[in-house]
Amino acid sequence: MSKSNWDYSIFWKETLNHLRSELSEQEFVMWFNNIDYAGSTEKKIILSVPSSFYRDQVKERYLTGIEKILHNLSGSNIEIDFSIKKINTTPVSSNPKQKKTQSAAKKKPSLPVTNRSYPNLSQDYSFDNFVVGDNNSFAANACIAIAKNPGKTYNPCLIYGGVGLGKTHLIQSIGKYVYSNFEDSRIVYVTAEQFTNEFIQSIKENKQHQFKNKYRKVDILLIDDIHFLQGKDATQEELFHTFNALYDSNKQMVFTCDRPVSELKNLTDRLKSRFERGLNVDLIPPSFETRIAILKKKVEEKNVLIPDDVIEIICQNVTTHVRDLEAALTKLIAYADLLNKEITVDIAKHQLKDMFSNPKLNNITIDVIQRTVADYFNLTPNDLRGKKRTKAIAFPRQVAMYITRELTEYSTTEVGLEFGGRDHTTVMHACQRVDSKMKADPSIEPYIRNLIQKAKESGTKS
Ligand code: ADP
Ligand code: MG
């Protein structure tokens, strides 16, 4: 049966009219201006949507209502099916429909849309393929809220956390979402390093004006890895002014950093206070369950067959970054591909033995570190977690905090909590103290290295 025999476009148009009268203009524009009628079959209308995130949201919010309206209009049960539009990297102004949206939405006055090119974003990152788990749900939800309402909800927003935990994935997902859903918005995504290099280049070439123009006239500025700005005074100064210009005109800014802003060194206080404005959210290493969910998603994306027990053994052993989980998977897939073998638990154990035996990637816990350090100083772990601040306990406690920061991905806030609910500044101070003691007294470093080694060994055994 050819598609044209089932043209339900008129029903869809009428459904839109109903929805328009029921929803606020903002809500209607947000969810329905980007949906196109893509065809029908006997019992279905196919709608094309910008992303699967969008599809899921529309399904959850409106599907029942839409199907009811369609039923009333047609007298039969017409279902809705969604297809995902390909990301459009060509200028959107060529699409008359989208031009109309721009005026209907009355969103942001901006440059002519023909000037809008696809921002420097990787195709790999979107909300669709980001697994939300206990370690990242606050950050992920904040990013989704920002993407839906840029400049209005949480501005600025800073996402911080250790390496490989999804900062770049999230910040880029915001860019991608906004690009697909707000067609007149200008989005700039850069790493702090690129920002710095461009700034330096603009000075060399006497093009500061262009530089300022580029960064101060965006709707969304996304800067990844701002820890790179430490010690770069002139770039900090420039970013400070960029920040103020954008902030004053309610333009959205999102930054990522590998630690809380308070722990950054050589960053001016005024810039720090800007980053700390708005919302700061952290990412911590994923729990076992979330690791399983992430790995399963990656397996699905790569369209390979990996038995559940193999996934489990990887997740039991690779406990820090998502990036390491991916690396483990990539290695196994390459092995299986090259040797044309099925992946089994034994193969996984053998192929990944280096990753599995590296204690940094293993189940080294704060508990193990506290026990190791306490043993060495003839104390108990409770002494390290307790309130006493006598010299005999204070220094070992600082050493244990230092080693925890060395060997794990816990933030200073989390370490503080594990050491009797102490403040993160106490942990920072402890690490600095141990560091300077090691530098001042050469006899200290070897025993701390030795303790680190012991903690690693206990971590591997437990
Ligand atoms: P960061 O910028 O924090 O160092 P990335 O965003 O580069 O980390 O993440 C590292 C890798 O892990 C990327 O390939 C990313 O897609 C993946 N990743 C991280 N967190 C998740 C998650 N929750 N769901 C799916 N993939 C994730
Ligand atoms: Mg990153």
Side-chain angles (χ1 to χ4, degrees), residues 120-267:
N120 179 25
L121 299 170
S122 155
Q123 290 293 338
D124 297 341
Y125 301 136
S126 71
F127 289 128
D128 306 330
N129 63 1
F130 189 84
V131 176
V132 179
D134 43 5
N135 63 318
N136 61 28
S137 62
F138 185 27
N141 284 319
C143 291
I144 292 172
I146 288 168
K148 287 190 195 167
N149 257 318
K152 302 213 173 75
T153 344
Y154 306 111
N155 196 23
C157 173
L158 180 110
I159 310 159
Y160 67 91
V163 72
L165 295 179
K167 301 184 295 295
T168 299
H169 193 135
L170 278 177
I171 196 174
Q172 291 211 12
S173 301
I174 297 177
K176 186 172 196 173
Y177 184 92
V178 173
Y179 184 83
S180 312
N181 293 284
F182 297 82
E183 59 284 338
D184 57 345
S185 56
R186 287 153 301 174
I187 304 153
V188 168
Y189 165 83
V190 276
T191 61
E193 185 173 5
Q194 286 162 340
F195 183 86
T196 306
N197 292 343
E198 264 182 54
F199 178 59
I200 295 170
Q201 196 67 19
S202 78
I203 297 174
K204 271 193 201 149
E205 295 175 1
N206 213 2
K207 287 186 177 160
Q208 277 147 291
H209 183 68
Q210 273 106 312
F211 182 88
K212 285 188 190 357
N213 248 342
K214 170 173 173 187
Y215 285 98
R216 295 185 195 181
K217 291 198 171 153
V218 301
D219 294 308
I220 296 214
L221 179 61
L222 307 167
I223 305 190
D224 210 352
D225 296 332
I226 54 152
H227 45 270
F228 182 85
L229 298 172
Q230 293 175 104
K232 316 260 182 327
D233 296 347
T235 313
Q236 285 179 30
E237 170 89 12
E238 180 60 30
L239 182 57
F240 173 75
H241 294 296
T242 308
F243 185 106
N244 292 342
L246 293 177
Y247 190 77
D248 289 344
S249 44
N250 293 323
K251 302 301 186 191
Q252 181 72 49
M253 288 170 277
V254 184
F255 306 101
T256 72
C257 186
D258 69 355
R259 67 202 86 164
V261 171
S262 56
E263 287 180 29
L264 290 171
K265 293 182 193 123
N266 301 321
L267 194 78

